[in-house]
Amino acid sequence: MKNKRPLILISNDDGYQAKGINCLVDMVRDLGDVIVCAPDGGRSGYACAFSAKDYLRLEKVSEEEGVQVWTCTGTPVDNLKIALNRVVPRTPDIVLAGINHGDNASVNTHYSGTMGVAMEGCMKYIPSVAFSLCDYSEDADFEPLRPYVRMLVQKVLAEGLPKGVCLNVNFPLVEAYKGIKVCRMAFGTWGNEVVKCHHPRGYDYYWMVGEYTNDEPEADDTDNWALTHGYIAITPTQMDVTNYPLLEKLKNEFKEE
């Protein structure tokens, strides 16, 4: 790989064989040298989890001019950590996550392994972007995303991102995008999350499922609103979760005598 070209590190939570990540590689491979390190299978919902007790296996899957593909048996964050420690020849210029099969808007941000990748990159002070499409199909059509993905990657490579901030980019499933909305995360909740079933051998078991509700459907400045109305939603997401107004209030309440 050529040191003068940008180094692009890519991971996901759908596994290295997923169509989304392979389409993402194809979209950006001419913009720099690409290294993929992604789970050996689906790891949706792992958020920022990492393997504290289990050992990991790392394997190179393929290599061609400008593109290396590795896979690790761990979580999405494990894959990024091991890539940064054992695979990449230098600090990447950008970390990309996705393209996820399914949206990661609203509170899904906190559950998402795709966002876990972007957040881990962000915590390493590497400009990081997560891409998701509101289509859970294994054979989803990612081609309409191409110009927007390329534009955003080129912009971040050229301009960077503020320290502690990554981008959460969600694409609606529509025939034509109305445009781009830079927006905040919507407040939403998941309900009916557990389904109870009975096994023929006499015991109960449970599936984690759920139904999502947008708790502020009329707010037009949120990612949910943008996606519902056919816009690409870009949400700047920060690592610092401190609530500064309450911080100041509590400082005043607990002033030292």
Side-chain angles (χ1 to χ4, degrees), residues 55-70:
Y55 70 86
L56 305 174
R57 294 184 61 188
L58 176 67
E59 177 185 355
K60 181 186 282 189
V61 176
S62 64
E63 182 171 7
E64 56 187 87
E65 183 63 32
V67 180
Q68 289 183 14
V69 178
W70 296 73

Side-chain angles (χ1 to χ4, degrees), residues 202-221:
Y203 57 85
D204 294 331
Y205 63 98
Y206 303 86
W207 286 104
M208 300 298 294
V209 286
E211 299 171 356
Y212 175 76
T213 300
N214 180 0
D215 293 329
E216 41 181 350
E218 302 306 317
D220 60 5
D221 61 343

Side-chain angles (χ1 to χ4, degrees), residues 39-51:
D40 60 348
R43 301 288 192 279
S44 294
Y46 273 68
C48 290
F50 66 94
S51 299

Side-chain angles (χ1 to χ4, degrees), residues 15 28 35 38 50 62 80-81 97 158 160-161 176 211 215 231 248 254:
V28 303
I35 294 179
F50 66 94
S62 64
L80 203 69
K81 286 181 180 292
L161 288 169
E211 299 171 356
D215 293 329
Y231 291 90
E248 295 304 318
F254 293 101

Side-chain angles (χ1 to χ4, degrees), residues 94-98 104 109 112 114-122 126-132 148-149 151-157 159-162 164-171 180-183 223 232-239:
I94 192 170
V95 166
L96 303 180
N104 281 312
T109 299
S112 165
T114 306
M115 281 302 296
V117 169
M119 291 178 181
E120 181 67 21
C122 190
I126 304 169
S128 302
V129 185
F131 295 107
S132 303
Y148 301 95
V149 168
M151 177 271 292
L152 286 168
V153 171
Q154 289 174 298
K155 182 176 179 62
V156 173
L157 281 173
E159 302 175 13
L161 288 169
V165 176
C166 60
L167 297 182
N168 181 14
V169 184
N170 285 276
F171 292 83
I180 294 173
K181 291 283 187 183
V182 180
C183 44
D223 50 9
I232 299 163
I234 300 178
T235 304
T237 304
Q238 63 183 22
M239 297 301 102

